[in-house]
Amino acid sequence: MYLSEETREKIKALRDKYPTKKAALLPTLHLVFDECGYLGTDQLDEAADVLGISRLEINEAASFYTLFPKHKVGKYLLQVCDNISCSLRGADNLVGYIKEKLGIEVGDTTPDGLFTLWTVECLGSCGTGPVMQVGDRYYEKLTREKVDKLLDKWKNGGEDGSSKEPKQSDR
Amino acid sequence: MSEKILFKYIDYPDQDRIETYIKNGGYTALRKVLKEYQPEEVVDIVKASWLRGRGGAGFPTGVKWSFLPKDGNKPIYLIVNGDESEPGTFKDRQLMEYDPHQLIEGAIISAYAIRCHTAFIYIRGEFVRPAEQVGKALQEAKDKGFLGKDILGSGYDLDIHIVRGGGAYICGEETSLMESIEGKRPLSRQKPPFPAIEGLWGCPTIINNVETLSNIPHILNNGAEWYKSFGTEKSPGTKIFCLSGHINRPGNYELPMGVNLKELIYEYGGGIIDDRPLKAVIPGGSSTPILRADEIDVNMDFESLAAAGTMLGSAGVIVMHDGTCMVSALQKLTKFYEHESCGKCSPCREGTNWMNKILKRMLKGEGRPEDVDLLYDIAKNILGRTVCPLGDAAAMPVIGFLDKFRDEFENICNGGKPKGTIHFPFN
């Protein structure tokens, strides 16, 4: 079993919420992701069985959505936007800086399993770019100094990437 | 500062809490509607206000609603489109995060108007906080009797569910959005049938943008004529303009439709960073054709921008100063559309990939003299040849950049050095 009893129960509870069982697919992907941190074929197959849809259906849909890693990633998945508005504000320099700091390429994970670096498409935070998403949070108006502080904090076992602060937008 | 409608209380402390929202006049429109109006009357008022869709297409909302079949026995669905993903656009996020009840009240009134009893708010997966805020607000509304069974004793029932996306721009396109809610791989559907006739699970469905529906309570409170006193005759109301890029004060600005772009950039946005000369502006999100610096004396409404050969789109204004390499900027946009193409239609799936390949070749200094025409040809062949508008969205910026900055592309293809100082790495 790849999924906890709790997640399995949550998936079961979704089965009758919508007109079709299949409509619970996307919410199920979120549940699996929340528990496992990625969507592997094994986890997806099991979720499909619990939901009562075919394994093909869940893999077909899940493979489309880039929000969910399909393989295990580092504890902190750094998703840096490198679309136009953030790039105009220096996002690419920032990606280069993070690469250098962590000694990894985009797409890779540090050997200690702490950080994975991704570049992602527009996060809808163009007015406060450059921006990166780590866990549930956006980190906005990024500078090298801010990145230094964040990486240090995370390296020292600080605040979890998924922790939430009440007002995340820096307007 | 001109009068605000949607952002009036956006900075008000605790506006996201129902008590504060009510104290600031919230849910009065819903009470009024349920007490005084038949659903058709609400449709008529919205139609009369000439509120136009804020997701990009600008279709009149009331007219869209009136396409629903009058005598069907299938359930009718309302979907609120909060899948905001067009590069340069970040208004719906703020509306959902800081004034979620405004959206919910608008959604309830709209659902009542179209006789819908189950609605969905589709929020892009990355927007964790906005989804939490909307979720919390839905619960508060339910606790107060604004949602659920027999709303405010009117006999009207409505449930609203949140669906969180999975990180796919295409899901902002209404037919892909419905496929996504249905749990399918979200490839866009051929139209017709249009969603109003055959949408979610084959039932009549209306899809409206977050900003569009946030206007509804105000229109019902103050009337269509009041709403039309803002903006222009054909594009009434206010609009949230998202300023980003090389601008001193990036952010969201709610202003009347038809505000001058130059004024928007220099007065509201504080001008260009480091006082540099302006080079180009994308006026309505990444898919809209670019304007040169000498073309920005234009009004920001649907008609004026169409006359200028571009579009209001989602009003994501992306500003670039003189140091920006246009080949590099276009490659950023094209890479995005290549990544987000759902793959259903060959012209879009292959074309976006080819265009990105050519642009990367140019940036590497390996461009061929015929590449500029080739790029143009590919874009022209995508345009109008795909099931959904993503193909057009990918082609339009390419055509726009080549029309306005052709010399830069030719220069780079003939062995010249890229213009400007800002060149983005690419992979």
Side-chain angles (χ1 to χ4, degrees), chain B residues 151-166:
Chain B
I151 297 171
L152 300 172
S154 66
Y156 174 62
D157 305 336
L158 175 68
D159 285 316
I160 301 183
H161 304 282
I162 292 179
V163 178
R164 292 184 55 215

Side-chain angles (χ1 to χ4, degrees), chain B residues 10-30:
Chain B
I10 202 84
D11 290 321
Y12 204 89
D14 297 328
Q15 175 68 7
D16 55 325
R17 307 307 306 264
I18 199 161
E19 292 79 15
T20 315
Y21 180 71
I22 290 172
K23 202 178 78 199
N24 287 332
Y27 288 109
T28 49
L30 178 65

Side-chain angles (χ1 to χ4, degrees), chain B residues 286-311:
Chain B
S286 60
S287 59
T288 59
I290 197 162
L291 296 170
R292 279 190 314 256
D294 61 342
E295 298 173 310
I296 64 160
D297 193 3
V298 60
N299 293 345
M300 296 290 283
D301 57 75
F302 292 108
E303 288 68 32
S304 305
L305 284 163
T310 183
M311 291 165 75

Side-chain angles (χ1 to χ4, degrees), chain A residues 17-20 22-27 30 34 57 59-68 82-85 87-89 92-93 106 119-128 133 135-138 140 164-171, chain B residues 10-11 77 87-90 93-94 97-98 120 122 124-129 132 161 164-168 170 180-187 201 243-247 250 273 318-320 324 329 332-333 335-336 339-340 342 424-425:
Chain A
K17 192 176 167 188
Y18 306 100
T20 64
K22 196 167 172 173
L25 189 151
L26 189 47
H30 280 282
D34 286 347
E57 286 174 307
N59 281 283
E60 185 190 33
S63 62
F64 191 91
Y65 293 114
T66 54
L67 183 69
F68 314 109
D82 76 336
N83 206 295
I84 186 79
S85 297
S87 294
L88 291 169
R89 306 294 289 209
D92 283 304
N93 301 338
V106 172
T119 51
V120 292
E121 293 303 344
C122 185
L123 289 168
S125 188
C126 322
T128 47
Q133 179 167 26
D136 288 352
R137 271 204 64 182
Y138 278 17
E140 300 166 77
K164 293 148 202 167
E165 284 172 17
K167 292 269 181 188
Q168 68 166 239
S169 286
D170 194 359
R171 285 182 294 154
Chain B
I10 202 84
D11 290 321
Y77 294 110
T89 316
F90 45 96
R93 173 174 167 226
Q94 200 173 349
E97 202 172 325
Y98 293 96
F120 296 91
Y122 190 99
R124 70 176 290 186
E126 292 84 348
F127 284 176
V128 180
R129 178 82 188 150
E132 283 173 356
H161 304 282
R164 292 184 55 215
I170 191 69
S180 180
I181 293 181
E182 289 182 17
K184 298 178 192 155
R185 190 175 172 93
L187 311 185
W201 296 296
L243 300 190
S244 71
H246 293 147
I247 192 148
I273 52 171
I318 306 169
V319 177
M320 302 177 205
T324 315
K332 281 281 168 208
L333 299 180
K335 154 190 88 87
F336 170 75
H339 185 263
E340 301 300 336
C342 81
F424 312 123

Side-chain angles (χ1 to χ4, degrees), chain B residues 205-282:
Chain B
T205 304
I206 292 294
I207 299 111
N208 289 133
N209 169 264
V210 166
E211 184 186 351
T212 311
L213 293 190
S214 296
N215 275 293
I216 297 289
H218 307 288
I219 293 173
L220 271 298
N221 258 335
N222 303 294
E225 287 310 310
W226 166 85
Y227 190 71
K228 283 165 85 172
S229 70
F230 296 88
T232 70
E233 191 193 339
K234 289 182 174 161
S235 301
T238 59
K239 178 82 195 79
I240 299 171
F241 298 97
C242 317
L243 300 190
S244 71
H246 293 147
I247 192 148
N248 276 324
R249 292 196 294 268
N252 284 323
Y253 295 83
E254 184 186 11
L255 293 161
M257 278 275 196
V259 64
N260 185 277
L261 177 56
K262 200 172 185 175
E263 191 185 330
L264 185 61
I265 293 171
Y266 286 96
E267 286 184 28
Y268 293 98
I272 313 304
I273 52 171
D274 302 329
D275 280 328
R276 293 181 67 143
L278 176 70
K279 182 167 186 177
V281 182
I282 298 175

